Amino acid sequence: MSSLLSKKEVIRHREFRFLGMAAETNNQAEFKGEGVIPSLWSDFYANHVLERIPNKINSSMIALYTNYESDETGAYTFALGTEVVEGHDVPSGLEEWVVPESKYVVFTTRRGPVQEVVVEAWQEIWEWSKYNERAFQFDFELYDLRSVDPMNGQVDIYISVK
C-alpha cells in the first residue's frame, strides 16, 4: 500500500497553551460508533466554541489528544480548541493545558474531505506506530487555512515521539 501521507522528519515544537472543550474516550468505543469524538465536533461548531475562546493566537483549530492511560488501546482525553496566550480566565465548560516543548513526527494528510483524510491518516499512523516509539504525551491535529474547505482540506497531525 502506498502512503497517502507525507511524513516529515522529527521536529521540536515549542511549548504552547491550549484551551478547549474535552471528553474522555478510547479507540475501541470510537470504532464501534459509541465514542464521543463526532458529538464533540458537533457541539464545538453548534456552540461556536472557537468564537468564545479568549486570547486566541490565531484562527487555527487544534484537536488535542492527551492524558493517555497507556497507548492507542487505552483511554485518553480528546479536546477541541485552539492555542491561546497566557493570562486569562477559563470560560465555563472549557479546559486549559500547557503542551510542553516536545519532539514530534508531523504527518500531513492528502487533500480531500477532511473527515475522510484524517481517518486515513490515523490508520497509517497506527501502522507506523508498530515500528516507532510514540511518547503518548500530547498529540494534535492542526486545522489551519488549508482545512477551511471541509470537502478539500489538508491537516497536519503531530505525533509525540520519545
Side-chain angles (χ1 to χ4, degrees), residues 10-161:
V10 174
I11 63 150
R12 273 203 133 348
H13 193 284
R14 64 179 168 66
E15 175 182 287
F16 68 94
R17 275 183 191 283
F18 169 91
L19 186 62
M21 58 189 297
E24 189 169 294
T25 189
N26 64 66
N27 287 338
Q28 186 178 359
E30 296 299 329
F31 293 144
K32 292 197 305 199
E34 300 166 359
V36 300
I37 292 176
S39 61
L40 203 64
W41 277 103
S42 295
D43 292 349
F44 187 83
Y45 284 116
N47 296 316
H48 306 284
V49 174
L50 194 59
E51 290 81 14
R52 289 188 12 234
I53 294 176
N55 301 327
K56 288 185 278 295
I57 297 281
N58 56 42
S59 62
S60 295
M61 212 169 65
I62 294 173
L64 185 72
Y65 299 78
T66 191
N67 298 336
Y68 287 99
E69 179 180 69
S70 55
D71 55 19
E72 67 272 1
T73 63
Y76 57 89
T77 299
F78 176 79
L80 289 172
T82 193
E83 185 179 350
V84 295
V85 296
E86 193 173 350
H88 57 269
D89 292 331
V90 176
S92 175
L94 300 182
E95 296 180 44
E96 183 175 38
W97 284 271
V98 175
V99 180
E101 179 180 317
S102 188
K103 291 191 304 187
Y104 292 91
V105 172
V106 183
F107 294 85
T108 302
T109 68
R110 67 176 174 85
R111 282 200 158 280
V114 171
Q115 284 182 300
E116 184 180 299
V117 299
V118 170
V119 169
E120 281 175 4
W122 276 104
Q123 289 170 340
E124 212 166 303
I125 289 165
W126 290 320
E127 195 57 37
W128 171 88
S129 295
K130 292 176 183 175
Y131 308 100
N132 294 274
E133 278 202 284
R134 289 180 58 189
F136 293 101
Q137 299 293 315
F138 288 90
D139 300 318
F140 60 95
E141 301 163 0
L142 177 64
Y143 295 83
D144 57 19
L145 293 174
R146 296 168 301 151
S147 56
V148 171
D149 176 359
M151 295 314 294
N152 188 33
Q154 190 170 41
V155 178
D156 287 334
I157 303 175
Y158 290 72
I159 301 296
S160 59
V161 292

